[in-house]
Amino acid sequence: MRQLIAGNWKMNGLAGDTAAICGPLRTGADGLACDLLVCPPFTRIVTAANILVGSAVAVGGQDCHVNEKGAHTGDISAAMLADAGATWVILGHSERRADHGESDALIQAKTKAAVATGLSPIVCVGETEAQRVAGDQNKIVGGQLAGSLPEGFAGVVAYEPVWAIGTGKTATEADVAAMHLFIRETLVKQLGDAGNKVRILYGGSVRPANASTLLAVPHVGGALVGGAALNAADFLGIAKAAKA
Ligand code: 13P
């Protein structure tokens, strides 16, 4: 299974940034051993999709609504993402869980909506620092997987420990190995054999300097990259560390 290197731009990326990042990715992605995805803010999905059309780099959104259309001021539907040129969507990121109070049930409904529209979902899970200190990480992540993934899920899961996001603190290889194995076993229990086919991304302060180590850990199917995805050379540096 090819690894997936996905860039989550979060609330970053004006027109100039989008061109500066996506331009070099268009050519830099040729011949890579991994799949590459950029997830700009809603306002620049069309821009990114236009720059990357016909290239090996896919475009995704960072959230979608459960409904296809209607009276939901400020929201964006999966159909709108697809219409703008996205083929992927990140759902249930810890920042959305925290900033917007998103529950597992809501994330499951959004995942169903995304899949029904033909988008590939990346569903995020991960414990906070306090939860890890208390030794509750498996209970938390297990609960998130049980609550957020719909029956028959065939998308991607991203494990992002909240304490490693944007902090420069990366989980140790041993932490990543233990959690990814736990997630794999949970997915198989939940989904049967299909659980073996789900790529499990690691996210949290992934950089070119630590990418080869993290991407070599068993059951790591790629990376979900925040800060380092805002620079084409760094993002490509991570992608070059990916395994086929
Ligand atoms: P950083 O790579 O900036 O730590 O962000 C990780 C993340 O939250 C990606 O979704």
Side-chain angles (χ1 to χ4, degrees), residues 41-209:
F42 294 135
T43 47
R44 288 295 156 198
I45 288 176
V46 171
T47 317
N50 284 341
I51 296 172
L52 294 168
V53 68
S55 80
V57 189
V59 180
Q62 300 173 18
D63 177 47
C64 72
H65 195 270
V66 296
N67 292 335
E68 198 182 324
K69 60 182 176 181
H72 302 286
T73 303
D75 279 313
I76 302 279
S77 71
M80 289 168 169
L81 293 180
D83 181 55
T87 51
W88 287 81
V89 61
I90 298 168
L91 295 167
H93 191 281
S94 61
E95 287 151 15
R96 291 210 59 89
R97 291 178 186 260
D99 293 355
H100 299 273
E102 293 198 3
S103 65
D104 290 331
L106 179 66
I107 293 157
Q108 184 181 121
K110 288 182 174 196
T111 305
K112 283 184 186 163
V115 172
T117 307
L119 297 178
S120 301
I122 299 176
V123 176
C124 304
V125 296
E127 81 286 357
T128 63
E129 183 151 40
Q131 289 162 341
R132 179 161 279 265
V133 169
D136 286 341
Q137 64 271 19
N138 288 8
K139 191 175 92 191
I140 296 297
V141 169
Q144 290 170 337
L145 291 170
S148 306
L149 302 184
E151 225 174 280
F153 179 76
V156 169
V157 166
Y159 168 59
E160 299 202 301
V162 177
W163 47 271
I165 295 177
T167 58
K169 283 194 222 170
T170 320
T172 63
E173 267 177 87
D175 287 343
V176 176
M179 181 53 84
H180 280 245
L181 177 61
F182 170 74
I183 292 175
R184 174 69 68 215
E185 289 170 351
T186 307
L187 290 173
V188 170
K189 270 186 214 148
Q190 218 171 304
L191 305 167
D193 192 39
N196 281 313
K197 301 196 178 79
V198 171
R199 283 182 284 189
I200 309 166
L201 312 186
Y202 169 78
S205 299
V206 178
R207 305 275 180 270

Side-chain angles (χ1 to χ4, degrees), residues 8-31:
N8 174 11
W9 295 11
K10 309 191 178 185
M11 199 170 71
N12 299 288
L14 303 178
D17 308 311
T18 307
I21 300 167
C22 294
L25 293 187
R26 204 190 143 76
T27 45
D30 282 348

